[in-house]
Amino acid sequence: MRIGFIGLGVMGRPMAGHLIAAGHELALSRVKPVSAHLVEAGGKAATTPAEAEKGADAVILMLPDTPDVEAVLTGPDGVIGALKPGAIVIDMSSIDPVATRRFADGVAEAGALWVDAPVSGGQAGAGNAALSIMCGGTDAAFAAALPLLELMGKRITHVGGNGAGRTAKVCNQIIVGLTIEAVAEAMLLAGAMDVDRAKVREALLGGFADSTILKVHGERMIDEAFDPGFRINLHRKDMTLATEAARSLGLALPNAANVQQLMNAAIGRGDGDLDHSALIRTLAAMSSA
Amino acid sequence: MRIGFIGLGVMGRPMAGHLIAAGHELALSRVKPVSAHLVEAGGKAATTPAEAEKGADAVILMLPDTPDVEAVLTGPDGVIGALKPGAIVIDMSSIDPVATRRFADGVAEAGALWVDAPVSGGQAGAGNAALSIMCGGTDAAFAAALPLLELMGKRITHVGGNGAGRTAKVCNQIIVGLTIEAVAEAMLLAGAMDVDRAKVREALLGGFADSTILKVHGERMIDEAFDPGFRINLHRKDMTLATEAARSLGLALPNAANVQQLMNAAIGRGDGDLDHSALIRTLAAMSSA
């Protein structure tokens, strides 16, 4: 299949690599020295997004933020202006779910299919094609995208219509961020009471407080092992998506807003490149605990 | 063993019943019609806490709140004034961990042993002797209490010194309350985006957002199945313990404080006797979502 791939960052590079390895003909936008190996592997360098997707059956986006996707889709030399009728746009970026619906409408008006398909699983999941992928789009669009998604991920869920994949991803990041903060508050209290945090974690596992976060990030907090993992800088972006969606939709998400503020402070104190479990450092600094 | 049992509420009644069934000689404080069956089963009614524990080898407390425990221990006809030297006080109430240390010191000065041993598992766990019990106290006190605790619970953890069991319980309730709120915010966002909440929950299970709360309470929110379970009224008490401990210790627990406020509002709108997963109703009402 002819595929335009736009967004060759730390996630996009291995993902594009899997597609090339499977025999697809990739046109790559914005090739830099760090992604030159993809051209050696058989990818073709393109100069603009529109050139990357000229004649493509599928266009895959893996871009940092909402304005990047907007620029690539609707900007000068943008994707929407040059879509082949019946092509599919698979936007795997983690961006605003409300804006996503607007982008999906634009693609539909151009006669093409749309799937929003943000991922979780990080660099490791991208590297060994084991990403979780949450999808939004019509049944026809999902069916068209699935064979390509299966080359990059393992748990692939069709959540609902346009924007549903993006919504699920934001829901995921709200729950992960707020659960990390909850475990951090508990660990902070245990520490201030001079109670062994590891014993508290052990006592709580298996009960209603049990979670992947208590297991994994609780242990990171106890060991002060804050090498990422998933950086606070990146999670702050997701909390911003949550609070922006809340603003667009007229919703109050009070603890998501609180955690966004704590992440702002964490970044301010220089912890942005640490794992998100390091949020406990910001709470501890507030109380000198 | 001669045991004084003080606190024959919905939890204390079945717990005392297990001890009587195992052949212990129980003196029961404040027997009412609802607990008369325990006297028929062999328990002895006492008129005051001090009478209940006269000559007792162990005194077990299962009381609603910190002032209740304080009154029973140090009030007129209180337990501390009449403790047999070498006896053990096992306080299974869920109360303030900071005050707990003060109570433990008073008991030690009277020449007796102390274990704080709050439970989780609710009425069902109390009924079939399957409570989780988190213990604080010396090794000697824990060893002395263990044979009795094993008649009432299954997962029994010695978390640390005096107050450590209570601290672990408050940590548990912080994590449970805040994770419920996190799942509620995510479900609220999914609903506002017209995305199927059940599909979102399904897409998130197995990833980093996975938790017992997402499984159990997430499903309750989707089904609007809010029969308790664990009542918001009771959980609000625990969040108050968390924020009071934070005040005593000079700590900021911002999301625990937020969830306490949301529970205040939930009780204000008449949801206090619903399961704590009904917190989503308060968030939804705020946004008319």
Side-chain angles (χ1 to χ4, degrees):
Chain A
M1 196 182 274
R2 266 220 65 188
I3 302 171
F5 199 106
I6 302 168
L8 299 172
V10 290
M11 297 292 289
R13 288 196 297 274
M15 291 161 67
H18 298 311
L19 297 170
I20 294 171
H24 290 293
E25 193 186 328
L26 258 70
L28 306 164
S29 179
R30 294 178 192 150
V31 173
K32 290 179 190 161
V34 76
S35 39
H37 63 286
L38 294 170
V39 177
E40 286 159 32
K44 263 177 58 181
T47 50
T48 63
E51 191 191 319
E53 56 106 7
K54 209 161 111 190
D57 307 299
V59 181
I60 298 179
L61 311 183
M62 189 60 180
L63 292 161
D65 212 343
T66 314
D68 306 300
V69 173
E70 180 143 40
V72 160
L73 287 176
T74 64
D77 287 321
V79 163
I80 287 183
L83 272 174
K84 183 167 113 176
I88 181 163
V89 176
I90 307 174
D91 181 5
M92 306 185 73
S93 324
S94 283
I95 63 160
D96 179 7
V98 181
T100 291
R101 294 218 166 126
R102 197 157 33 84
F103 302 154
D105 289 344
V107 166
E109 280 164 29
L113 298 169
W114 168 272
V115 174
D116 46 283
V119 306
S120 81
Q123 279 178 250
N128 43 36
L131 294 166
S132 289
I133 310 181
M134 291 152 265
C135 302
T138 61
D139 287 346
F142 178 72
L146 191 57
L148 298 179
L149 297 176
E150 283 173 339
L151 296 171
M152 298 179 277
K154 286 229 157 67
R155 276 174 54 90
I156 302 167
T157 313
H158 186 198
V159 181
N162 295 340
R166 212 80 90 186
T167 301
K169 174 71 191 285
V170 175
C171 289
N172 187 74
Q173 297 303 83
I174 289 174
I175 294 177
V176 169
L178 273 55
T179 308
I180 286 175
E181 203 276 345
V183 171
E185 288 197 14
M187 292 287 123
L188 202 71
L189 177 60
M193 287 290 292
D194 289 319
V195 174
D196 183 342
R197 295 171 171 191
K199 285 276 187 187
V200 170
R201 174 176 166 281
E202 189 189 314
L204 269 45
L205 289 173
F208 272 122
D210 202 349
S211 66
T212 305
I213 299 295
L214 178 62
K215 283 194 195 82
V216 175
H217 299 79
E219 191 163 43
R220 277 176 171 276
M221 291 176 203
I222 291 163
D223 299 341
E224 302 191 346
F226 297 131
D227 49 308
F230 190 73
R231 293 169 207 275
I232 290 176
N233 276 327
L234 285 169
H235 205 147
R236 197 259 305 257
K237 190 198 86 175
D238 295 328
M239 296 315 296
T240 306
L241 294 178
T243 55
E244 282 180 0
R247 191 170 61 86
S248 311
L249 297 165
L251 283 183
L253 301 179
N255 281 4
N258 242 1
V259 168
Q260 186 198 27
Q261 294 300 310
L262 290 169
M263 287 182 174
N264 289 345
I267 291 165
R269 64 194 302 278
D271 286 354
D273 281 325
L274 299 183
D275 184 74
H276 45 182
S277 54
L279 203 62
I280 193 172
R281 288 163 50 103
T282 303
L283 282 171
M286 281 169 74
S287 315
S288 306
Chain B
M1 196 184 273
R2 268 221 63 190
I3 302 171
F5 199 107
I6 303 166
L8 299 172
V10 290
M11 297 291 289
R13 288 196 297 274
M15 290 161 68
H18 298 310
L19 297 170
I20 294 172
H24 291 292
E25 193 185 326
L26 258 69
L28 306 164
S29 180
R30 297 178 190 149
V31 172
K32 290 179 190 160
V34 74
S35 39
H37 64 284
L38 294 170
V39 176
E40 286 158 32
K44 263 177 55 183
T47 50
T48 64
E51 192 191 318
E53 56 107 4
K54 209 162 111 188
D57 306 300
V59 181
I60 298 179
L61 311 183
M62 189 61 180
L63 292 161
D65 212 343
T66 314
D68 306 298
V69 173
E70 180 142 40
V72 160
L73 288 177
T74 65
D77 287 320
V79 163
I80 286 182
L83 272 174
K84 184 167 112 176
I88 182 162
V89 176
I90 306 174
D91 181 4
M92 305 184 74
S93 324
S94 283
I95 62 161
D96 181 5
V98 179
T100 292
R101 294 218 165 127
R102 198 156 34 84
F103 302 154
D105 289 345
V107 166
E109 279 164 27
L113 297 170
W114 168 274
V115 175
D116 47 281
V119 308
S120 81
Q123 279 178 251
N128 45 32
L131 294 166
S132 289
I133 311 182
M134 293 153 264
C135 303
T138 61
D139 287 345
F142 178 71
L146 190 57
L148 298 179
L149 297 177
E150 283 171 339
L151 296 171
M152 298 178 277
K154 285 228 155 68
R155 275 173 54 92
I156 302 167
T157 312
H158 186 197
V159 181
N162 295 338
R166 212 80 90 188
T167 301
K169 175 72 191 286
V170 175
C171 289
N172 188 75
Q173 297 303 83
I174 289 174
I175 294 176
V176 169
L178 273 57
T179 309
I180 285 174
E181 202 277 345
V183 171
E185 289 197 14
M187 291 288 121
L188 202 70
L189 177 61
M193 287 290 292
D194 289 318
V195 174
D196 183 344
R197 294 170 171 194
K199 284 277 187 186
V200 170
R201 173 175 166 281
E202 190 189 315
L204 270 44
L205 288 173
F208 272 122
D210 201 349
S211 66
T212 306
I213 298 295
L214 179 62
K215 282 194 196 82
V216 176
H217 300 79
E219 191 163 43
R220 277 177 171 275
M221 292 177 202
I222 290 163
D223 298 341
E224 302 190 348
F226 298 133
D227 50 307
F230 190 73
R231 291 169 209 275
I232 290 176
N233 276 326
L234 286 168
H235 206 148
R236 197 260 303 258
K237 192 198 83 173
D238 295 329
M239 296 315 295
T240 306
L241 294 178
T243 54
E244 283 180 359
R247 192 170 59 86
S248 312
L249 297 165
L251 283 183
L253 301 179
N255 281 6
N258 242 2
V259 168
Q260 186 198 26
Q261 295 301 310
L262 290 169
M263 288 181 174
N264 289 345
I267 291 165
R269 65 194 300 279
D271 286 354
D273 282 324
L274 298 184
D275 184 73
H276 44 182
S277 53
L279 203 61
I280 193 172
R281 288 163 51 103
T282 304
L283 281 172
M286 281 168 74
S287 315
S288 306

